[in-house]
Amino acid sequence: GAPTDDDGRYTLNVDSGTWTVFAEASGYQRSTGTSTAAGGTANISLTAVSGWSAPTPVMQGITDSSGGQMSSANMTLDLPEKALGNNNAVITVTITTTTPRSAPNAAALTRSTVSISASNSTGGSITKLDNNASLTLTLNADDLTELKIPESSLQFAYFDDNTGQWEPMAATIDTTNHKVTVKTNHFTDFSPITGGPDAPTG
């Protein structure tokens, strides 16, 4: 939604009862939950991520029926034919290095989180793919320096907006070149994580 006024106040339409409200924004840490009843108000202050600056997204038009490859500073995305559809339409795909979203089940690496999105000519969002795309992420050197576990023990995950958690994915980790490769059938935020549940195999 959009702010209801210049002070950043928002109105959320909810059912009756007591709600726990969270807030988050790019460049800020996710807030702790604030409990409030329907019809009430909640004041939430966000804490800025130290040293964060807004990244410049990489955008590229890709014809859905033919697919293609695009790269950002730390991510390469390979889209097979018809992954985005089969209408011979140009789809705008965007890759952005972003602030990792906080989740109770795992911690994402601060500088190695990437958000991928796609939209058609009318601005409609495309999140699900008809064929698996391949993602190859180069891990940030500072993230690797701060790791408290072996690089080979990292997991790779996507953020699930429905569960509010990082969900592990089957991944190949190249510890020599510090790259992680995965297959995905949807677009969202992706990141190496620590402390998550076991990833699926196969």
Side-chain angles (χ1 to χ4, degrees), residues 63-65 82 84-91:
T63 303
D64 57 7
S65 56
K82 304 178 183 178
L84 295 167
N86 191 27
N87 300 309
N88 205 34
V90 176
I91 306 299

Side-chain angles (χ1 to χ4, degrees), residues 103-157:
N105 70 320
L109 298 193
T110 305
R111 307 168 192 86
S112 299
T113 302
V114 174
S115 180
I116 304 177
S117 61
S119 59
N120 58 28
S121 59
T122 61
S125 178
I126 298 172
T127 55
K128 297 197 180 299
L129 305 177
D130 295 332
N131 292 308
N132 282 344
S134 176
L135 310 178
T136 300
L137 176 73
T138 302
L139 302 176
N140 180 277
D142 291 335
D143 278 344
L144 291 174
T145 300
E146 295 170 6
L147 270 183
K148 294 180 172 60
I149 62 172
E151 182 181 347
S152 58
S153 298
L154 279 173
Q155 297 183 70
F156 197 83

Side-chain angles (χ1 to χ4, degrees), residues 2-132:
T4 57
D5 61 27
D6 292 338
D7 292 328
R9 294 185 180 95
Y10 291 79
T11 298
L12 302 174
N13 296 315
V14 298
D15 296 330
S16 60
T18 301
W19 292 80
T20 303
V21 183
F22 299 84
E24 61 184 330
S26 187
Y28 293 85
Q29 301 287 355
R30 180 181 171 92
S31 72
T32 56
T34 300
S35 181
T36 185
T41 61
N43 296 316
I44 300 175
S45 297
L46 297 181
T47 302
V49 175
S50 177
W52 183 88
S53 59
T56 301
V58 175
M59 303 176 71
Q60 183 174 318
I62 294 179
T63 303
D64 57 7
S65 56
S66 59
Q69 183 184 86
M70 64 179 292
S71 297
S72 67
N74 60 345
M75 168 72 78
T76 298
L77 168 63
D78 283 297
L79 282 161
E81 295 178 0
K82 304 178 183 178
L84 295 167
N86 191 27
N87 300 309
N88 205 34
V90 176
I91 306 299
T92 301
V93 181
T94 303
I95 301 175
T96 310
T97 301
T98 189
T99 307
R101 291 189 268 182
S102 300
N105 70 320
L109 298 193
T110 305
R111 307 168 192 86
S112 299
T113 302
V114 174
S115 180
I116 304 177
S117 61
S119 59
N120 58 28
S121 59
T122 61
S125 178
I126 298 172
T127 55
K128 297 197 180 299
L129 305 177
D130 295 332
N131 292 308
N132 282 344

